[in-house]
Amino acid sequence: MNYWFGPLSGWLPNRWWAGRPDLAFVWNGIKQRYLPSVRLLRELGAHVVYVEHGWYPQQATVQLDDVGVNIGASWANKPLAANGQTPLQVRDKGDLLLLLQYDRDTQLTDYSPWFRDMAALVDHVTKHSALRVRVRPHPRHPPAAGLKELVLSRGHLWDDSSTLQQALSASRALACINSSTAIEALNQRLPVLCFGESVYRHPGAVYCLDNQAAQLQAVTTELSRGQCSLFVEPITAVLQRVAANQFTVEQLHQRLPSMIDTWLGIARQQNVAPYQVRSFPALPFAGGLTRATV
């Protein structure tokens, strides 16, 4: 088996012959710069499996799926089996915590049909929310210029909590496009306002919102009165589904072999035609790869 690893291993080098792959794992893979390599792997007969960080805790888990990542995964759009019976209780105090995300992340570029960036979302929420809004910046990506000034000028707050847990503890509800932090909010039984496509965007589990002002006003007015249209059962079902589709290192050690066997079986069924050697198209490539054979 030939493979490449290293900081630039997302590029499949056209100068080396990798043999005919049966199975290929790609990190994220849906970004535009990865698409030529993914297409080439498929042309070579590889069954492609996408890998990305999990949802919560994000840095300690990964997701794997042979259709896509996040809402693009094979399981993500399946309806929940749980019916809402137990209304979600709302805290009697606290504001609406609005989480900023990275504008260039695929969660925004691919899965945010109603808001092109965080500035558009902040403008919408701070203009139409019946709850006071507290905007929390992304920990690794500075907000757009003037965004903090806009929030403060409209009488809302800029969150300077030292930890996420501290920020959540002062909140009555959480709003975001599709941040993985919403999983933790659901785990704490906080109402979530979801403004994008997400693995947790299911009616009854979160408020499924878009860019309609009246919709946001109605939801935040309801919450300000201590009422909620969400239910414990679908929230629990979402949390269970997410947990079942993200893996720690220890879980990968136990479950990955059988998953690979399944994917290899699919690949072999697909590759029934005789293989013909073909030339590689030119692909963007820079040094820094290490080749290994096992």
Side-chain angles (χ1 to χ4, degrees), residues 10 23-43 46-55 61-75 106 110-111 245-247 252 256 259-260 263:
L23 186 63
F25 291 83
V26 295
W27 186 264
N28 191 300
I30 66 171
K31 293 183 179 180
Q32 287 296 319
R33 67 177 185 268
Y34 299 150
L35 296 183
S37 294
V38 172
R39 283 196 297 267
L40 176 57
L41 287 166
R42 285 180 170 152
E43 288 174 14
H47 189 71
V48 175
V49 176
Y50 298 92
V51 188
E52 179 57 282
H53 289 299
W55 297 276
T61 59
V62 295
Q63 51 177 301
L64 298 93
D65 192 82
D66 60 347
V67 174
V69 297
N70 296 319
I71 191 60
S74 60
W75 53 271
T106 52
D110 290 40
Y111 303 133
N245 288 282
Q246 69 177 19
F247 307 90
L252 278 177
L256 190 56
M259 295 168 70
I260 288 177
W263 288 323

Side-chain angles (χ1 to χ4, degrees), residues 74-290:
S74 60
W75 53 271
N77 282 309
K78 295 179 179 178
L80 296 178
N83 295 317
Q85 297 179 352
T86 308
L88 183 65
Q89 298 298 309
V90 183
R91 294 173 180 173
D92 57 5
K93 60 181 180 178
D95 48 28
L96 177 63
L97 180 64
L98 175 59
L99 297 180
L100 299 190
Q101 297 173 240
Y102 179 35
D103 285 339
R104 294 177 59 189
D105 192 286
T106 52
Q107 287 283 64
L108 270 292
T109 60
D110 290 40
Y111 303 133
S112 179
W114 301 291
F115 297 95
R116 66 185 183 278
D117 54 30
M118 288 293 101
L121 177 68
V122 169
D123 177 64
H124 176 74
V125 175
T126 57
K127 186 182 295 183
H128 302 295
S129 174
L131 276 172
R132 197 175 195 186
V133 180
R134 181 162 38 96
V135 178
R136 181 171 177 81
H138 192 283
R140 295 186 300 277
H141 301 285
L147 203 56
K148 181 176 181 179
E149 290 73 16
L150 172 66
V151 171
L152 298 178
S153 70
R154 290 182 173 173
H156 298 290
L157 304 172
W158 194 259
D159 184 72
D160 58 0
S161 304
S162 58
T163 66
L164 173 63
Q165 293 305 319
Q166 184 180 5
L168 289 173
S169 67
S171 306
R172 186 178 301 203
L174 179 138
C176 63
I177 296 287
N178 45 27
S179 171
S180 60
T181 300
I183 301 296
E184 175 60 17
L186 291 174
N187 191 51
Q188 295 186 22
R189 297 300 188 263
L190 269 179
V192 169
L193 284 63
C194 178
F195 288 91
E197 297 174 337
S198 173
V199 295
Y200 49 76
R201 188 182 174 94
H202 290 278
V206 302
Y207 288 105
C208 303
L209 306 181
D210 51 36
N211 56 0
Q212 298 181 47
Q215 196 181 51
L216 173 59
Q217 290 169 348
V219 166
T220 51
T221 297
E222 176 182 81
L223 292 171
S224 69
R225 295 171 177 169
Q227 302 168 348
C228 186
S229 301
L230 306 179
F231 297 90
V232 172
E233 291 80 9
I235 290 174
T236 301
V238 164
L239 293 172
Q240 291 173 343
R241 178 179 288 185
V242 167
N245 288 282
Q246 69 177 19
F247 307 90
T248 63
V249 173
E250 293 76 14
Q251 290 171 330
L252 278 177
H253 179 74
Q254 299 170 350
R255 299 175 61 179
L256 190 56
S258 62
M259 295 168 70
I260 288 177
D261 287 341
T262 299
W263 288 323
L264 282 174
I266 296 173
R268 287 162 184 156
Q269 290 176 2
Q270 293 172 338
N271 296 332
V272 294
Y275 178 61
Q276 295 180 351
V277 177
R278 56 181 295 279
S279 60
F280 287 92
L283 290 178
F285 172 66
L289 290 174
T290 300

